[in-house]
mmCIF file of all heavy atoms in Angstrom:
data_model
loop_
_atom_site.group_PDB
_atom_site.id
_atom_site.type_symbol
_atom_site.label_atom_id
_atom_site.label_comp_id
_atom_site.label_asym_id
_atom_site.label_seq_id
_atom_site.Cartn_x
_atom_site.Cartn_y
_atom_site.Cartn_z
ATOM 1 N N GLN A 10 104.908 120.990 108.870
ATOM 2 C CA GLN A 10 106.352 120.800 108.698
ATOM 3 C C GLN A 10 106.937 121.966 107.892
ATOM 4 O O GLN A 10 106.356 122.406 106.905
ATOM 5 C CB GLN A 10 106.620 119.469 107.990
ATOM 6 C CG GLN A 10 108.057 119.016 108.136
ATOM 7 C CD GLN A 10 108.396 117.801 107.274
ATOM 8 O OE1 GLN A 10 107.657 117.459 106.360
ATOM 9 N NE2 GLN A 10 109.517 117.182 107.565
ATOM 10 N N LYS A 11 108.088 122.446 108.327
ATOM 11 C CA LYS A 11 108.724 123.611 107.703
ATOM 12 C C LYS A 11 109.247 123.285 106.306
ATOM 13 O O LYS A 11 109.094 124.061 105.370
ATOM 14 C CB LYS A 11 109.878 124.049 108.597
ATOM 15 C CG LYS A 11 110.613 125.267 108.128
ATOM 16 C CD LYS A 11 111.595 125.691 109.218
ATOM 17 C CE LYS A 11 112.661 126.638 108.721
ATOM 18 N NZ LYS A 11 112.158 127.717 107.894
ATOM 19 N N SER A 12 109.896 122.127 106.194
ATOM 20 C CA SER A 12 110.294 121.657 104.870
ATOM 21 C C SER A 12 110.445 120.157 105.013
ATOM 22 O O SER A 12 110.627 119.658 106.121
ATOM 23 C CB SER A 12 111.619 122.277 104.443
ATOM 24 O OG SER A 12 112.633 121.878 105.327
ATOM 25 N N GLY A 13 110.352 119.428 103.916
ATOM 26 C CA GLY A 13 110.433 117.974 104.012
ATOM 27 C C GLY A 13 109.257 117.343 103.313
ATOM 28 O O GLY A 13 108.528 117.993 102.575
ATOM 29 N N ARG A 14 109.076 116.062 103.597
ATOM 30 C CA ARG A 14 108.119 115.279 102.821
ATOM 31 C C ARG A 14 106.662 115.662 103.030
ATOM 32 O O ARG A 14 105.810 115.310 102.219
ATOM 33 C CB ARG A 14 108.270 113.805 103.197
ATOM 34 C CG ARG A 14 109.545 113.218 102.730
ATOM 35 C CD ARG A 14 109.642 111.815 103.284
ATOM 36 N NE ARG A 14 110.977 111.301 103.192
ATOM 37 C CZ ARG A 14 111.394 110.512 102.217
ATOM 38 N NH1 ARG A 14 110.591 110.151 101.272
ATOM 39 N NH2 ARG A 14 112.637 110.099 102.213
ATOM 40 N N LEU A 15 106.339 116.299 104.165
ATOM 41 C CA LEU A 15 104.927 116.603 104.418
ATOM 42 C C LEU A 15 104.560 118.033 104.035
ATOM 43 O O LEU A 15 103.385 118.396 104.016
ATOM 44 C CB LEU A 15 104.586 116.377 105.899
ATOM 45 C CG LEU A 15 104.824 114.964 106.431
ATOM 46 C CD1 LEU A 15 104.440 114.883 107.903
ATOM 47 C CD2 LEU A 15 104.023 113.942 105.635
ATOM 48 N N LEU A 51 107.406 124.228 111.394
ATOM 49 C CA LEU A 51 108.293 123.640 112.411
ATOM 50 C C LEU A 51 108.918 122.336 111.932
ATOM 51 O O LEU A 51 108.465 121.743 110.950
ATOM 52 C CB LEU A 51 107.463 123.312 113.663
ATOM 53 C CG LEU A 51 106.761 124.477 114.354
ATOM 54 C CD1 LEU A 51 105.773 123.940 115.375
ATOM 55 C CD2 LEU A 51 107.780 125.369 115.028
ATOM 56 N N ARG A 52 109.947 121.852 112.652
ATOM 57 C CA ARG A 52 110.448 120.488 112.428
ATOM 58 C C ARG A 52 109.329 119.525 112.803
ATOM 59 O O ARG A 52 108.647 119.733 113.810
ATOM 60 C CB ARG A 52 111.645 120.202 113.358
ATOM 61 C CG ARG A 52 112.887 120.983 113.088
ATOM 62 C CD ARG A 52 113.909 120.272 112.234
ATOM 63 N NE ARG A 52 113.966 118.816 112.295
ATOM 64 C CZ ARG A 52 114.877 118.111 112.950
ATOM 65 N NH1 ARG A 52 115.816 118.729 113.655
ATOM 66 N NH2 ARG A 52 114.889 116.799 112.903
ATOM 67 N N ASP A 53 109.161 118.474 112.046
ATOM 68 C CA ASP A 53 108.024 117.581 112.339
ATOM 69 C C ASP A 53 108.129 116.949 113.733
ATOM 70 O O ASP A 53 107.123 116.789 114.418
ATOM 71 C CB ASP A 53 107.847 116.518 111.245
ATOM 72 C CG ASP A 53 108.980 115.506 111.185
ATOM 73 O OD1 ASP A 53 110.059 115.771 111.758
ATOM 74 O OD2 ASP A 53 108.776 114.442 110.557
ATOM 75 N N ASP A 54 109.365 116.683 114.188
ATOM 76 C CA ASP A 54 109.561 116.070 115.515
ATOM 77 C C ASP A 54 108.978 116.927 116.645
ATOM 78 O O ASP A 54 108.605 116.406 117.690
ATOM 79 C CB ASP A 54 111.052 115.906 115.814
ATOM 80 C CG ASP A 54 111.813 115.339 114.661
ATOM 81 O OD1 ASP A 54 111.856 115.992 113.595
ATOM 82 O OD2 ASP A 54 112.347 114.242 114.805
ATOM 83 N N VAL A 70 101.087 116.021 111.096
ATOM 84 C CA VAL A 70 102.325 115.282 111.333
ATOM 85 C C VAL A 70 102.087 113.800 111.055
ATOM 86 O O VAL A 70 100.938 113.346 111.065
ATOM 87 C CB VAL A 70 102.796 115.570 112.790
ATOM 88 C CG1 VAL A 70 101.854 115.000 113.818
ATOM 89 C CG2 VAL A 70 104.213 115.082 113.038
ATOM 90 N N GLY A 71 103.159 113.052 110.796
ATOM 91 C CA GLY A 71 103.019 111.619 110.536
ATOM 92 C C GLY A 71 102.626 110.864 111.794
ATOM 93 O O GLY A 71 103.053 111.215 112.900
ATOM 94 N N GLU A 72 101.832 109.797 111.621
ATOM 95 C CA GLU A 72 101.455 108.968 112.779
ATOM 96 C C GLU A 72 102.700 108.413 113.462
ATOM 97 O O GLU A 72 102.731 108.252 114.678
ATOM 98 C CB GLU A 72 100.569 107.805 112.316
ATOM 99 C CG GLU A 72 99.178 108.239 111.917
ATOM 100 C CD GLU A 72 98.376 107.100 111.305
ATOM 101 O OE1 GLU A 72 98.790 106.600 110.235
ATOM 102 O OE2 GLU A 72 97.351 106.726 111.874
ATOM 103 N N ASN A 73 103.742 108.113 112.655
ATOM 104 C CA ASN A 73 104.986 107.587 113.217
ATOM 105 C C ASN A 73 105.550 108.524 114.285
ATOM 106 O O ASN A 73 105.980 108.088 115.348
ATOM 107 C CB ASN A 73 106.016 107.344 112.103
ATOM 108 C CG ASN A 73 106.219 108.552 111.211
ATOM 109 O OD1 ASN A 73 105.262 109.127 110.697
ATOM 110 N ND2 ASN A 73 107.450 108.975 111.026
ATOM 111 N N VAL A 74 105.494 109.836 114.009
ATOM 112 C CA VAL A 74 106.016 110.818 114.975
ATOM 113 C C VAL A 74 105.059 110.944 116.172
ATOM 114 O O VAL A 74 105.481 110.977 117.321
ATOM 115 C CB VAL A 74 106.241 112.190 114.291
ATOM 116 C CG1 VAL A 74 106.633 113.253 115.310
ATOM 117 C CG2 VAL A 74 107.311 112.070 113.214
ATOM 118 N N PHE A 90 97.986 111.353 102.962
ATOM 119 C CA PHE A 90 99.286 111.526 102.294
ATOM 120 C C PHE A 90 100.403 111.199 103.293
ATOM 121 O O PHE A 90 100.140 110.888 104.439
ATOM 122 C CB PHE A 90 99.438 112.939 101.693
ATOM 123 C CG PHE A 90 99.327 114.076 102.675
ATOM 124 C CD1 PHE A 90 100.437 114.502 103.409
ATOM 125 C CD2 PHE A 90 98.127 114.751 102.856
ATOM 126 C CE1 PHE A 90 100.355 115.552 104.303
ATOM 127 C CE2 PHE A 90 98.026 115.815 103.752
ATOM 128 C CZ PHE A 90 99.139 116.211 104.472
ATOM 129 N N GLY A 91 101.665 111.246 102.818
ATOM 130 C CA GLY A 91 102.796 110.903 103.696
ATOM 131 C C GLY A 91 102.758 109.448 104.103
ATOM 132 O O GLY A 91 103.191 109.078 105.198
ATOM 133 N N LYS A 92 102.240 108.603 103.196
ATOM 134 C CA LYS A 92 102.102 107.187 103.566
ATOM 135 C C LYS A 92 103.460 106.484 103.571
ATOM 136 O O LYS A 92 104.244 106.637 102.635
ATOM 137 C CB LYS A 92 101.149 106.485 102.607
ATOM 138 C CG LYS A 92 99.717 106.893 102.870
ATOM 139 C CD LYS A 92 98.745 106.020 102.124
ATOM 140 C CE LYS A 92 97.321 106.407 102.534
ATOM 141 N NZ LYS A 92 96.312 105.864 101.668
ATOM 142 N N CYS A 93 103.729 105.751 104.612
ATOM 143 C CA CYS A 93 104.972 104.992 104.723
ATOM 144 C C CYS A 93 104.785 103.946 105.821
ATOM 145 O O CYS A 93 103.722 103.871 106.419
ATOM 146 C CB CYS A 93 106.143 105.913 105.073
ATOM 147 S SG CYS A 93 105.928 106.833 106.603
ATOM 148 N N ARG A 94 105.820 103.137 106.031
ATOM 149 C CA ARG A 94 105.749 102.159 107.123
ATOM 150 C C ARG A 94 107.072 102.161 107.864
ATOM 151 O O ARG A 94 108.117 102.462 107.275
ATOM 152 C CB ARG A 94 105.393 100.767 106.590
ATOM 153 C CG ARG A 94 106.297 100.291 105.489
ATOM 154 C CD ARG A 94 105.716 99.093 104.745
ATOM 155 N NE ARG A 94 106.686 98.602 103.770
ATOM 156 C CZ ARG A 94 106.795 99.053 102.522
ATOM 157 N NH1 ARG A 94 105.975 99.998 102.086
ATOM 158 N NH2 ARG A 94 107.717 98.581 101.717
ATOM 159 N N TYR A 120 113.521 105.764 115.988
ATOM 160 C CA TYR A 120 112.229 105.537 116.659
ATOM 161 C C TYR A 120 112.379 104.574 117.836
ATOM 162 O O TYR A 120 111.787 103.484 117.842
ATOM 163 C CB TYR A 120 111.202 105.013 115.633
ATOM 164 C CG TYR A 120 110.908 106.061 114.596
ATOM 165 C CD1 TYR A 120 111.683 106.165 113.438
ATOM 166 C CD2 TYR A 120 109.905 107.007 114.806
ATOM 167 C CE1 TYR A 120 111.453 107.166 112.518
ATOM 168 C CE2 TYR A 120 109.672 108.011 113.893
ATOM 169 C CZ TYR A 120 110.455 108.082 112.750
ATOM 170 O OH TYR A 120 110.231 109.085 111.851
ATOM 171 N N SER A 141 119.835 110.025 114.641
ATOM 172 C CA SER A 141 118.769 110.929 114.194
ATOM 173 C C SER A 141 118.549 110.928 112.683
ATOM 174 O O SER A 141 117.532 111.410 112.217
ATOM 175 C CB SER A 141 119.042 112.341 114.692
ATOM 176 O OG SER A 141 120.283 112.751 114.185
ATOM 177 N N ASP A 158 113.543 101.585 110.253
ATOM 178 C CA ASP A 158 113.445 102.888 109.599
ATOM 179 C C ASP A 158 112.165 103.006 108.787
ATOM 180 O O ASP A 158 111.491 102.003 108.528
ATOM 181 C CB ASP A 158 114.666 103.067 108.683
ATOM 182 C CG ASP A 158 114.945 104.530 108.377
ATOM 183 O OD1 ASP A 158 114.288 105.415 108.978
ATOM 184 O OD2 ASP A 158 115.821 104.793 107.535
ATOM 185 N N LEU A 159 111.863 104.236 108.350
ATOM 186 C CA LEU A 159 110.682 104.457 107.517
ATOM 187 C C LEU A 159 110.967 104.018 106.093
ATOM 188 O O LEU A 159 112.048 104.260 105.561
ATOM 189 C CB LEU A 159 110.315 105.940 107.512
ATOM 190 C CG LEU A 159 109.851 106.507 108.844
ATOM 191 C CD1 LEU A 159 109.643 107.998 108.722
ATOM 192 C CD2 LEU A 159 108.572 105.821 109.310
ATOM 193 N N VAL A 160 109.983 103.391 105.488
ATOM 194 C CA VAL A 160 110.120 102.896 104.122
ATOM 195 C C VAL A 160 108.879 103.314 103.351
ATOM 196 O O VAL A 160 107.770 103.247 103.890
ATOM 197 C CB VAL A 160 110.152 101.338 104.107
ATOM 198 C CG1 VAL A 160 110.444 100.816 102.712
ATOM 199 C CG2 VAL A 160 111.158 100.786 105.111
ATOM 200 N N SER A 161 109.040 103.781 102.115
ATOM 201 C CA SER A 161 107.851 103.886 101.261
ATOM 202 C C SER A 161 108.021 102.986 100.052
ATOM 203 O O SER A 161 107.370 101.956 99.958
ATOM 204 C CB SER A 161 107.481 105.331 100.914
ATOM 205 O OG SER A 161 108.604 106.078 100.568
ATOM 206 N N SER A 162 108.947 103.313 99.131
ATOM 207 C CA SER A 162 109.116 102.412 97.983
ATOM 208 C C SER A 162 110.087 101.271 98.303
ATOM 209 O O SER A 162 110.032 100.212 97.694
ATOM 210 C CB SER A 162 109.644 103.196 96.794
ATOM 211 O OG SER A 162 110.972 103.600 97.045
ATOM 212 N N THR A 165 115.563 103.084 99.056
ATOM 213 C CA THR A 165 116.705 103.476 99.896
ATOM 214 C C THR A 165 117.318 102.245 100.552
ATOM 215 O O THR A 165 118.542 102.089 100.597
ATOM 216 C CB THR A 165 116.275 104.491 100.989
ATOM 217 O OG1 THR A 165 115.574 105.542 100.343
ATOM 218 C CG2 THR A 165 117.450 105.038 101.759
ATOM 219 N N SER A 180 101.911 104.062 108.507
ATOM 220 C CA SER A 180 101.745 105.461 108.905
ATOM 221 C C SER A 180 101.278 106.343 107.759
ATOM 222 O O SER A 180 101.543 106.050 106.596
ATOM 223 C CB SER A 180 103.086 105.978 109.438
ATOM 224 O OG SER A 180 103.000 107.342 109.778
ATOM 225 N N GLN A 181 100.572 107.410 108.093
ATOM 226 C CA GLN A 181 100.252 108.475 107.137
ATOM 227 C C GLN A 181 100.131 109.774 107.916
ATOM 228 O O GLN A 181 100.139 109.761 109.153
ATOM 229 C CB GLN A 181 98.954 108.163 106.391
ATOM 230 C CG GLN A 181 97.721 108.064 107.264
ATOM 231 C CD GLN A 181 96.458 107.828 106.435
ATOM 232 O OE1 GLN A 181 95.979 108.713 105.756
ATOM 233 N NE2 GLN A 181 95.925 106.607 106.493
ATOM 234 N N ALA A 182 100.030 110.888 107.201
ATOM 235 C CA ALA A 182 99.895 112.166 107.892
ATOM 236 C C ALA A 182 98.515 112.253 108.549
ATOM 237 O O ALA A 182 97.529 111.780 107.995
ATOM 238 C CB ALA A 182 100.067 113.311 106.895
HETATM 239 P P1 ATP B 1 112.267 117.513 109.827
HETATM 240 O O1 ATP B 1 113.375 118.375 109.337
HETATM 241 O O2 ATP B 1 110.937 118.227 109.806
HETATM 242 O O3 ATP B 1 112.541 116.839 111.136
HETATM 243 P P2 ATP B 1 112.500 114.840 108.741
HETATM 244 O O4 ATP B 1 113.773 114.687 107.996
HETATM 245 O O5 ATP B 1 112.377 114.284 110.117
HETATM 246 O O6 ATP B 1 112.105 116.393 108.716
HETATM 247 P P3 ATP B 1 110.997 113.878 106.437
HETATM 248 O O7 ATP B 1 112.002 112.958 105.834
HETATM 249 O O8 ATP B 1 110.669 115.151 105.715
HETATM 250 O O9 ATP B 1 111.294 114.199 107.978
HETATM 251 O O10 ATP B 1 109.662 113.032 106.644
HETATM 252 C C1 ATP B 1 108.549 113.580 107.263
HETATM 253 C C2 ATP B 1 107.487 112.513 107.402
HETATM 254 O O11 ATP B 1 107.103 112.043 106.115
HETATM 255 C C3 ATP B 1 107.902 111.255 108.140
HETATM 256 O O12 ATP B 1 107.891 111.402 109.550
HETATM 257 C C4 ATP B 1 106.839 110.276 107.664
HETATM 258 O O13 ATP B 1 105.641 110.455 108.404
HETATM 259 C C5 ATP B 1 106.576 110.724 106.228
HETATM 260 N N1 ATP B 1 107.193 109.834 105.201
HETATM 261 C C6 ATP B 1 106.546 109.319 104.131
HETATM 262 N N2 ATP B 1 107.347 108.530 103.396
HETATM 263 C C7 ATP B 1 108.526 108.518 103.976
HETATM 264 C C8 ATP B 1 109.783 107.880 103.678
HETATM 265 N N3 ATP B 1 109.949 107.076 102.641
HETATM 266 N N4 ATP B 1 110.824 108.124 104.483
HETATM 267 C C9 ATP B 1 110.679 108.957 105.516
HETATM 268 N N5 ATP B 1 109.517 109.577 105.851
HETATM 269 C C10 ATP B 1 108.456 109.358 105.108
#
Side-chain angles (χ1 to χ4, degrees):
Q10 197 188 15
K11 182 172 163 46
S12 63
R14 291 174 196 263
L15 301 180
L51 300 168
R52 293 264 330 257
D53 67 343
D54 314 63
V70 67
E72 288 173 297
N73 52 309
V74 174
F90 59 85
K92 287 191 175 166
C93 58
R94 54 195 185 272
Y120 295 88
S141 59
D158 202 7
L159 294 175
V160 186
S161 44
S162 69
T165 309
S180 177
Q181 62 177 288

